Amino acid sequence: MKKTVLSVKTLAVIVVFTVQYARAQKKAPQLGKASIEEVINAMTPEEKALLLVGPGMPGYAGLTPLEGEPDMRVLGAAGGTAAIPRLGIPETVVADGPAGLRIQPKRKNNTNTFYATAFPVGTLLASTWNPELIEAVGKAMGEEVKEYGVDVLLAPALNIHRNPLNGRNFEYYSEDPLVAGKIAAAYVRGIQANGVGTSVKHFAANNQETNRLTVNAHISERAMRELYLRGFEIAVKESAPWTIMSAYNKIDGTYASANKDLLTTVLRDEWGYKGYVMTDWFGGYPGFENILKEGVVSDVPAQIAAGNDLIMPGMDAQRALLVEAIKSGKADNNAINTSLKRILGYVVETPTFKKYKYSNKPDLKAHAAVTRTAAAEGIVLLKNEGSVLPYTNTTQTIAVFGDTSYNFIAGGTGSGDVNEAYTVSLIEGLTNAGYKIDQDLVTAYTPYVKEVVAKEMKRREENGGLLAVPQRLIEMHLDAGMVAQKAKTDAAAIITIGRNSGENEDRHIENDFYLGQDEIQMINSVSEAFHAEGKKVIVIMNIGGVIETFSWKDKVDAILLAWQPGQEGGNSVADVLSGKTNPSGKLTMTFPVDYNNHASADNWLGLPANNPTDVYYKEGIYVGYRYFNTFKVKPSYEFGFGQSYTTFEFSNLNLSATTFKDEVKVTVTVKNTGKVAGKEVAQLYLTAPAQLEDKPALELKGFAKTKALKPGEQQTLTFVLKAKDLASFIDAQSAWVAEKGTYTVKVGASSEDIKLTKDFTVATDIVAEKVHDTFKTEEGFKDLENK
Ligand code: BGC
């Protein structure tokens, strides 16, 4: 037998080969088993880019997948993070949006349905002034997120209502950052209690839809910090959202998604935020029209370096750019690894990573009850002359006018829309509650509304589908003789005024903020005819944002602001009309007499007027009631306003100290002095000394809602004021300063209905918080001052 002799050289080759083979065979570090650092160290530049730039938007905007494209795990989701199986990283799924989970309800070759509950829109949720209730709504919503296999809900949205015409105000909460922040925090806590995440959006100053991808918002640091960031600060600190979505717009010249002041200095360094930031969809691109243009790519390395960890929904060109930047050393390696760490830190917390077996069967029945109750609590009673409401006459017929009565609007359009199984119309709600409806009007309206709705749907289809902005329906012509006849035979009239809007376009002044001629005619003819017969007229406002009320409110007897109350809307309104629910909603924004009464009206949308590139927030901090109260402009309905079927008395305003040390505790007693049970919102405003800085006449610093108080029952509510609550942002000091002097605590039922006041003093200026010098405005303009 021939002996095989191996040379040293051959032996060496074999050893090297064996070692290499063994290494290759050794599994790459697996997420969840190895540390996150080890996983990141094992990543190729391509894998890093795959995780930092989202995998795209299969079936664009959640429509059915394109020809040949596979079904997504959750059809209709807005995107997610990519899977890297080699490293044990699963894909995760994110979906819209604020009024409930927005996914497609039907799937190919699947007989099951995937409807989600349409909860009330943001304006309504905020109008409850009830964080506890909002947390319960969030819990229900989050259960649907989890049970449909989604990891993050792209909500809540809490941009400030800078101006009533913003097309997305319905998704947002308020003109006041305390209300916005507290409601958002409650919402996040509720959703995340399910073990799924939220994405608080749009950070920050996304206050208009016109040119939203490119517009440059020039805002003073004071207005930024006191108004446009404050709500986010509260939400971050009080609810730790898993993710944050940066806004489309630029702030002082830099895209929000590439703004280091915003995403790192303020969000991380000052507020201590630990989650990750994602862009809004195609954020950082110069306009939707440029998204697919060759050579046009958002500056991904700059976005990541600024602290925007995830680029959404993710485009090949963005990934390629990032790979090149990583390989050439142009990308900031530390920033890349930090972002990867944040995203992987999230991935391991997701139900997907934990292999949660979602049922695709959330408890829709239970959630219908949640949305019905929540909506009823956010409905605002604006007018109730002669106590026409609650309306309890179920024996005689009611004449129901207005197209929207027959086509009730559950929520707005765009990403804030929800695919619900049904919407309870006003007619259905009234019928369910036992009211008798005039059937002649039902017969006349039904075919008319069917036709105008079909036309409108066709128009939307031809104008961009999902992103087409809704137009209101033109009211059916009412024959004067017919209305007079109905006034004789029916016991009362209800008129619904409807408005809808959505992303991509702002609302209009004429025929939108102001009523159209057709609507004015309807209100005139119905109220004249019914009043001539001594009968009452009730208006229901089924709207997402503020409309003009001053010119017509005296013509009707009662006004119920139902907002867009979700899928149980008709039932919720009937609950309030009938008195089953005593209204306790309050306005979280001002209803002006005239559109131009808003200080922002002068600078709204920006310049040049025909295609704005730059918007100047010259009104500074004087947004909403801060302006109306300070400059003594009388609104139609003020911030904080809302009536009840009972009456309340405020008493015993007590402060724990008359000289401020670390805090002042404020207590007040609210008593139900009427005949039915009800809840009241006590609002705590503060008037601060104004030596260092111009200050608004008053600012909301706390609010609390009573439980349902029985007649004669009372409750004592407690508020705590800390130094930061007293402070204003003093730009020259880069600090929140509570200046010395006398502070007046004003507790009331609205910003104009102050019931009790008491003073305390601050002996010397207190620096409540020192911060960084950020948001340098490019060119100087002086904020509006009260001087
Ligand atoms: C909206 C976001 C939304 C995203 C994903 C964008 O157009 O501005 O609010 O979450 O789309 O659908």
Side-chain angles (χ1 to χ4, degrees), residues 322-505:
L322 187 57
V323 168
E324 199 280 319
I326 295 174
K327 284 185 175 166
S328 67
K330 273 185 269 170
D332 175 345
N333 224 3
N334 266 342
I336 299 275
N337 288 346
T338 304
S339 290
L340 287 167
K341 208 167 144 189
R342 290 184 187 131
I343 294 171
L344 289 176
Y346 142 80
V347 171
V348 297
E349 294 301 324
T350 58
T352 295
F353 185 80
K354 293 178 178 166
K355 299 202 166 53
Y356 178 71
K357 288 204 170 38
Y358 53 95
S359 63
N360 276 329
K361 300 236 168 325
D363 195 346
L364 297 178
K365 209 162 165 220
H367 301 167
V370 172
T371 181
R372 177 173 178 164
T373 323
E377 183 150 341
I379 290 174
V380 187
L381 178 62
L382 291 178
K383 178 170 181 176
N384 195 15
E385 195 123 314
S387 297
V388 47
L389 299 181
Y391 185 82
T392 51
N393 180 350
T394 50
T395 53
Q396 291 166 293
T397 49
I398 308 175
V400 184
F401 297 95
D403 300 349
T404 312
S405 298
Y406 299 84
N407 184 50
F408 219 54
I409 304 166
T413 66
S415 57
D417 197 5
V418 177
N419 295 309
E420 68 271 31
Y422 64 87
T423 298
V424 178
S425 77
L426 182 65
I427 299 294
E428 287 168 323
L430 293 173
T431 309
N432 293 343
Y435 291 107
K436 280 212 179 94
I437 308 297
D438 186 311
Q439 290 303 315
D440 291 346
L441 287 171
V442 175
T443 307
Y445 268 106
T446 308
Y448 175 81
V449 170
K450 201 171 158 203
E451 195 190 320
V452 284
V453 167
K455 256 197 211 147
E456 163 63 4
M457 288 320 203
K458 189 156 173 270
R459 189 198 59 80
R460 282 193 214 168
E461 205 49 49
E462 290 166 358
N463 284 276
L466 179 86
L467 289 182
V469 177
Q471 275 174 13
R472 76 171 181 84
L473 307 179
I474 297 301
E475 289 299 337
M476 185 176 83
H477 172 72
L478 298 175
D479 175 73
M482 182 274 280
V483 179
Q485 165 67 23
K486 289 301 165 200
K488 284 201 167 59
T489 53
D490 291 331
I494 289 179
I495 300 173
T496 306
I497 298 291
R499 285 290 180 280
N500 208 352
S501 68
E503 62 186 291
N504 251 349
E505 195 174 309

Side-chain angles (χ1 to χ4, degrees), residues 57 78 96-97 102 154 168 171 201-202 206 209 212 245 248 280-281 288 415 467 503:
M57 209 172 175
D96 284 305
R102 190 172 72 88
L154 302 171
R168 291 185 88 171
E171 294 183 61
K201 66 190 187 185
H202 308 91
N206 182 179
E209 288 302 291
R212 62 177 170 157
M245 189 188 294
Y248 281 131
D280 197 346
W281 269 229
F288 279 123
S415 57
L467 289 182
E503 62 186 291

